[in-house]
Amino acid sequence: MRFSSSQKDVFTLAAVCMAALMFGLEISSVPAILPTLEAVLLSSFNDLQWIMNAYTIACTMVLMAIGTLADRYGRKRVFMISLVLFGMTSLSCGLAQNNDVLIASRFLQGMAAGAMLICQVAVLSHRFQSAAARGKAFSAWGIVFGMGLGFGPIIGAGIVAVSSWEWVFLVHAPIAVLALGLVIAGVDESKDPQRRRLDVLGMTSLSLAVLGLSWFLTQGAATGFSTREAMFSLLVAVVSVSAFVLTQRRGVDPMFDFSVLRIPRFSGALVGAAAMNFSFWPFMIYLPLYFQNSLGYSSVGTGLALLAYTLPTLVVPPLGERLALRYRAQVVIPAGLFTIGLGFWLMKWGSSVEQASWLTLLAGCVLAGTGLGLTNTPVTNTTTGSVPSERSGMASGIDISARMISLALNIALMGFILVEGTLSSLRSQMPGVVDEEQLRALAQNISAGNLSAAGQGAALAHGFGWVMVYGAIAAWVLMAVSGWIFWRGKRSTYGVECRP
């Protein structure tokens, strides 16, 4: 059966949005059930971190390779395979009966999700080539992605309340089947005529670098950074980063084209992409733990409270896109990052008052979500629009890799900061305790929500305050870097134009 061009536009956009919905739900609904997993599966704080980080690390491992494979063998073909695998691995997550199986299944699910995500951006960029059509398509994509993110917390909490945590994962199977049908019906195949080779060495070295550094931050915080295992993981990360840079600069057909970093619009937007994952997204993992363990809300109450943090990501992206078209991305992206940082400062203030509640955090949560909504779509549209359309797979691969690498590292880093902040408070409460190992183990247990004595809730709130300060500073520092790159590009352009 043949479809018209307009019908294929609808099917393509619907398929991509369905995949975006699943990806968005998987990010925001799973953190909402972490306290439940801690109780049902007896998960430790490290287990909870790896349940989330196995997914993000796996995404990072495949992103650049999938961008190349999609460019070479067909974006539609790779998109279909990724949907099938995402549905299967979601079933595996839902059937897991212990932490080890769940973490392994999340790793496999993350690989499928990374492939699915990279194809979404590449398929949209190829199908909608004009600036106006692309802007509308990415706005719709951002809205649906925001729907998954915005309603994910309450959906996850609601599923746990009426059924069980397993269905937070199992629900993706029928959605994946529906999305697969839409891809078959409406997406046209597209490839990169250059047919680049798969950079196995580059993919392996990048994956080992992210895994090594994430392991160093996560396990080192629990067992000590000077242990043999921690030092070995750090060494692996350093060597792998060096090998990755060397292979990409000297390789005949590298997956990471460093030359695109000389495009100011691309680089400025790339910093903005990373900045969101130094602040907003990794804190999504820990905010449910704060509401439930520090403020004492139920799972449903936590899901409702999180809506203030996530719903702005649903309603603001169209505004961000319109502002970018009117005032340019180099203005909107730094402004969005500034708003995220301001939101984190307000959350820090709201968590420090004597009777902290969701009301005292409301303004900060809304402001941080608004900043994310202003930044996200302009960042994606700018990175993919700064290179020729036939290189959209590579560009979107770099964009999403920057996001996922920074997310994976900051999930681990924020967890470390949370434990250190909690530990600092415990030291002041119990000055007579000299066993540092015992005190650190207690801080780990408190961070996971195991509160067994008076004063431990205050210690946990103190730790979350440290994390909020880190998120604010990170957003503002990277805002300055992004703005400086955009400004340099503008000044260079004017300099060229003014030459006689």
Side-chain angles (χ1 to χ4, degrees), residues 3-13 16 75 120-130 133-134 137 186-190 389 392:
F3 297 100
S4 66
S5 178
S6 60
Q7 287 176 319
K8 287 188 174 182
D9 287 347
V10 173
F11 287 146
T12 299
L13 185 58
V16 169
R75 291 148 189 165
Q120 293 174 39
V121 180
V123 166
L124 276 188
S125 297
H126 178 266
R127 183 70 197 178
F128 303 96
Q129 305 234 345
S130 69
R134 178 181 291 180
V187 175
D188 289 330
E189 189 59 279
S190 62
S389 61
S392 61

Side-chain angles (χ1 to χ4, degrees), residues 84-139:
V84 172
L85 293 177
F86 188 81
M88 294 174 60
T89 53
S90 296
L91 289 175
S92 179
C93 289
L95 297 175
Q97 297 298 311
N98 58 63
N99 288 300
D100 292 338
V101 174
L102 180 55
I103 291 171
S105 299
R106 286 281 287 169
F107 185 85
L108 296 175
Q109 187 191 37
M111 295 181 73
M116 185 175 67
L117 180 61
I118 203 70
C119 290
Q120 293 174 39
V121 180
V123 166
L124 276 188
S125 297
H126 178 266
R127 183 70 197 178
F128 303 96
Q129 305 234 345
S130 69
R134 178 181 291 180
K136 291 179 180 179
F138 273 106
S139 292

Side-chain angles (χ1 to χ4, degrees), residues 275-276 278-280 334 336-342 344 469-480:
M276 293 184 290
F278 271 80
S279 51
F280 188 91
L337 297 180
F338 175 84
T339 306
I340 293 174
L342 185 59
F344 269 80
V469 170
Y470 168 77
I473 293 175
W476 280 4
V477 168
L478 292 175
M479 170 204 71

Side-chain angles (χ1 to χ4, degrees), residues 49-63 106-108 110-111 114 206-216 218 404-405 407-409 411-412:
Q49 285 185 288
W50 281 113
I51 287 171
M52 292 304 305
N53 230 359
Y55 182 88
T56 55
I57 291 172
C59 278
T60 303
M61 290 177 64
V62 303
L63 281 174
R106 286 281 287 169
F107 185 85
L108 296 175
M111 295 181 73
L206 179 62
S207 301
L208 286 175
V210 176
L211 181 59
L213 192 52
S214 297
W215 185 275
F216 174 74
T218 302
M404 299 309 297
I405 290 172
L407 178 59
L409 296 180
I411 288 175

Side-chain angles (χ1 to χ4, degrees), residues 432-473:
V433 178
V434 295
D435 190 339
E436 183 70 15
E437 185 175 342
Q438 180 184 357
L439 208 58
R440 181 172 292 277
L442 179 59
Q444 288 268 350
N445 286 331
I446 292 173
S447 298
N450 300 319
L451 308 180
S452 58
Q456 292 184 356
L460 181 60
H462 184 77
F464 274 107
W466 280 31
V467 177
M468 293 170 189
V469 170
Y470 168 77
I473 293 175

